[in-house]
């Protein structure tokens, strides 16, 4: 069965600094990979997704993620964080033959001014 | 499209009462998911349906929980009787199996059981 590990529970960065959130997955084949963001009191919103092709994917709000098969990773990056990026971020992996997603435990991002 | 619609947005009830949460998926989506989110356990998949048929209910915590999807545009999650430990935010999500299983989440129902 697939699994997702987000090793950082909580990260604090200064506004304007760069950001990298880590995500490692376990899956036997090439997975579908997703990053979602959840603002306080809100549902989850899709930031970006990877299915095939270019391993560097661009998402909304200036985020990008890179799929590295050799490291089983799909880390999320942003070159300059804004205070409005403070939220919880979830990485998820999906099978190509089923609709179920497996979510990581999330990383809470705090942005200091 | 209005997105995934959940009702009610907030529910406060007393222990022992029946609670029914409702979800309307995005039109044309054929998969529907119920999740529960708590501080202690994070985001948990409770059950999901494909084409109105329950596929995996292994996440349903116990017999007090039940879910139905009588048609493609409506699903319910029922808790009977409710207990304080059921307090959580319950999310509904829907997806189309093609091309990529991307799930769209509703705003959630915040349930408080006193």
């Amino acid at each position: 069965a697939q699994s997702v590990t987000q090793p950082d529970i909580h990260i604090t960065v200064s506004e304007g600094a760069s950001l990298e959130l880590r995500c490692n997955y376990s899956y036997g084949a090439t997975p579908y990979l997703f990053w979602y963001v959840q603002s306080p009191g809100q549902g989850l919103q899709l930031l970006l997704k990877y299915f095939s092709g270019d391993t560097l994917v661009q998402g909304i709000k200036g985020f990008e993620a890179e799929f590295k098969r050799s490291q089983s990773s799909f880390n999320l990056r942003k070159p300059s964080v804004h205070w409005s990026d403070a939220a919880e971020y979830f990485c998820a992996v999906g099978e190509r033959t089923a609709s179920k997603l497996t979510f990581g435990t999330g990383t809470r991002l705090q942005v200091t001014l | 499209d209005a997105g995934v619609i959940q009702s009610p947005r907030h529910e406060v009830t007393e222990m022992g009462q029946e609670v029914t949460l409702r979800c309307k998926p995005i039109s044309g989506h054929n998969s529907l998911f119920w999740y529960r989110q708590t501080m202690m356990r994070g985001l948990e998949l409770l059950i999901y349906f494909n084409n109105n048929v329950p596929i995996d209910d292994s996440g349903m915590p116990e017999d007090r929980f039940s879910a139905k999807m009588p048609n493609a545009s409506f699903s319910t999650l029922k808790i009977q009787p409710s207990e304080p430990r059921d307090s959580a935010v319950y999310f509904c999500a829907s997806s189309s199996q093609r091309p990529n299983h991307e799930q769209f989440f509703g705003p959630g129902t915040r349930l408080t059981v006193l």
Side-chain angles (χ1 to χ4, degrees), chain A:
Chain A
Q2 67 266 40
S3 65
V4 177
T5 302
Q6 293 182 248
D8 304 307
I9 296 174
H10 188 195
I11 285 182
T12 300
V13 299
S14 300
E15 188 175 42
S18 63
L19 171 71
E20 183 169 27
L21 302 182
R22 295 183 290 166
C23 172
N24 293 96
Y25 69 89
S26 173
Y27 184 62
T30 301
Y32 292 145
L33 294 163
F34 305 83
W35 274 100
Y36 283 84
V37 60
Q38 183 181 29
S39 298
Q42 304 293 317
L44 277 71
Q45 179 186 19
L46 182 71
L47 279 177
L48 47 78
K49 55 197 175 190
Y50 170 80
F51 306 116
S52 64
D54 192 348
T55 56
L56 183 64
V57 294
Q58 303 296 321
I60 62 171
K61 304 185 181 185
F63 285 91
E64 66 178 27
E66 186 171 12
F67 169 55
K68 294 186 177 181
R69 184 189 305 276
S70 61
Q71 298 177 19
S72 297
S73 69
F74 189 57
N75 293 349
L76 182 71
R77 301 194 294 249
K78 187 170 185 178
S80 178
V81 170
H82 188 263
W83 64 266
S84 60
D85 293 325
E88 187 146 22
Y89 292 80
F90 293 90
C91 181
V93 61
E95 300 176 24
R96 291 180 179 265
T97 56
S99 47
K100 176 181 174 180
L101 297 184
T102 299
F103 283 85
T105 51
T107 297
R108 182 167 298 278
L109 173 65
Q110 182 176 357
V111 180
T112 58
L113 300 177

Side-chain angles (χ1 to χ4, degrees), chain B residues 33 70 87 97:
Chain B
F33 307 81
S87 297
Q97 289 183 325

Side-chain angles (χ1 to χ4, degrees), chain A residues 36 38 46 49 51 98-99, chain B residues 37 50 56 100-103:
Chain A
Y36 283 84
Q38 183 181 29
L46 182 71
K49 55 197 175 190
F51 306 116
S99 47
Chain B
Q37 187 177 40
N50 279 351
D56 183 352
N100 52 43
H101 307 312
E102 174 185 340
Q103 292 186 17

Side-chain angles (χ1 to χ4, degrees), chain B residues 25-53:
Chain B
I26 292 172
S27 177
H29 283 187
N30 55 2
S31 295
L32 183 140
F33 307 81
W34 282 102
Y35 292 89
R36 177 172 68 175
Q37 187 177 40
T38 62
M39 289 292 294
M40 292 297 296
R41 301 175 68 90
L43 190 64
E44 304 173 274
L45 177 64
L46 300 178
I47 184 171
Y48 79 96
F49 298 82
N50 279 351
N51 298 315
N52 312 337
V53 176

Side-chain angles (χ1 to χ4, degrees), chain B:
Chain B
D1 198 316
V4 176
I5 299 172
Q6 291 188 247
S7 64
R9 293 294 311 276
H10 301 273
E11 176 81 35
V12 180
T13 190
E14 293 189 346
M15 182 174 63
Q17 296 298 304
E18 175 181 303
V19 175
T20 299
L21 310 181
R22 298 172 175 81
C23 176
K24 176 178 170 57
I26 292 172
S27 177
H29 283 187
N30 55 2
S31 295
L32 183 140
F33 307 81
W34 282 102
Y35 292 89
R36 177 172 68 175
Q37 187 177 40
T38 62
M39 289 292 294
M40 292 297 296
R41 301 175 68 90
L43 190 64
E44 304 173 274
L45 177 64
L46 300 178
I47 184 171
Y48 79 96
F49 298 82
N50 279 351
N51 298 315
N52 312 337
V53 176
I55 302 300
D56 183 352
D57 65 354
S58 59
M60 296 286 262
E62 49 196 275
D63 291 346
R64 298 185 296 106
F65 286 69
S66 62
K68 295 182 179 180
M69 192 164 187
N71 57 62
S73 59
F74 184 65
S75 177
T76 60
L77 177 68
K78 184 179 293 186
I79 308 173
Q80 181 186 20
S82 59
E83 296 182 4
R85 60 194 169 119
D86 301 330
S87 297
V89 180
Y90 291 81
F91 289 103
C92 177
S94 70
S95 73
S96 170
Q97 289 183 325
R98 295 287 183 270
N100 52 43
H101 307 312
E102 174 185 340
Q103 292 186 17
F104 294 80
F105 281 75
T109 294
R110 181 173 295 277
L111 173 65
T112 302
V113 183
L114 303 174

